[in-house]
Amino acid sequence: MPSGTLTVLGCDGSYPGPGGAASGYLVRTAAATIWLDAGSGTFARLQEVCFPGTVDAIVLSHDHPDHWSDLESFAVWARHQNAGEPHLVLAPPGLRERSYFGNDRSFDWREVEPSFRIDVHGLRCSFVATDHGPPTLAVRIEKSDALPDDKPFAYSADTGPDWSVEELGDDIGLFLCEATYTKEREGDFQHLSGRQAGIMAGGAGVGDLVVTHRWPTVGADALAFEAAEAFGRAVHQAAPGLTLEW
């Protein structure tokens, strides 16, 4: 039986393309809703699929604006809506200081370091550092009372090739992994190609792979093809509105 769902709000890498949105995802169970990264354009999409006041926690992987800037819009919404209790924000060191609403009553900020764990309404979130420029945290999410057949969800955040999802455990079911460009650009930036994402996910034995954070100038089919070839089977190419069970 699935533990919950993943819904893609935005998946464009580094900046939103025409009609697109940057990184943002909803992880939901019957008891909890976690907004995972809040890149530009994702708050508008979030309002299409749920009432913002039902968000139990906002997890921000790092301080690049394409992963957190719509937190500011959420804070303005919360002020106008008198949303009640402050919303939990889990973020690495330094990000709170970059927010206009770092001391706003709308938020309950918690600084997150590697190896940090927290339970959010029955969902356990565990964090590890990735291979990226600023402090960046990948996350494993699983039921606090998981049964033997329950498989965790994992999100790579942004990372270069000197990190592996194996650091989050060897039993991942659904893995949401950045794949910014195709193999021709490997080594140009601290990101992964589709090929590198597929190799890493296949080597770690994850159940299903979803590639995300694609630059708007990179073809989705080409990236998904090389990821699938390296992974050894079909992968999901993230797109706004895509919803998968985990």
Side-chain angles (χ1 to χ4, degrees), residues 96-115:
R96 180 178 184 175
E97 287 71 27
R98 296 194 63 182
S99 172
Y100 183 84
F101 298 96
N103 296 308
D104 193 83
R105 65 181 183 274
S106 302
F107 296 137
D108 173 16
W109 288 86
R110 307 283 181 89
E111 190 171 281
V112 178
E113 299 276 6
S115 301

Side-chain angles (χ1 to χ4, degrees), residues 5-11 23-27 36-37 67 130 137-141 152-159 163 165 168 172-179 192 197 200-201 206-214 236-239 242 244 246:
T5 59
L6 165 73
T7 298
V8 177
L9 303 175
C11 54
S23 293
Y25 315 91
L26 278 186
V27 176
L36 184 57
D37 272 345
H67 289 261
T130 76
L137 297 169
V139 61
R140 169 189 174 117
I141 300 178
F153 162 81
Y155 172 48
S156 70
D158 282 7
T159 187
W163 176 85
V165 67
L168 289 171
I172 302 300
L174 184 66
F175 178 36
L176 178 65
C177 184
E178 82 119 282
L192 298 176
M200 183 243 289
V206 306
D208 291 292
L209 173 61
V210 187
V211 289
T212 191
H213 199 265
R214 176 177 57 87
H236 300 279
Q237 173 69 65
L242 175 69
L244 300 170
W246 60 275

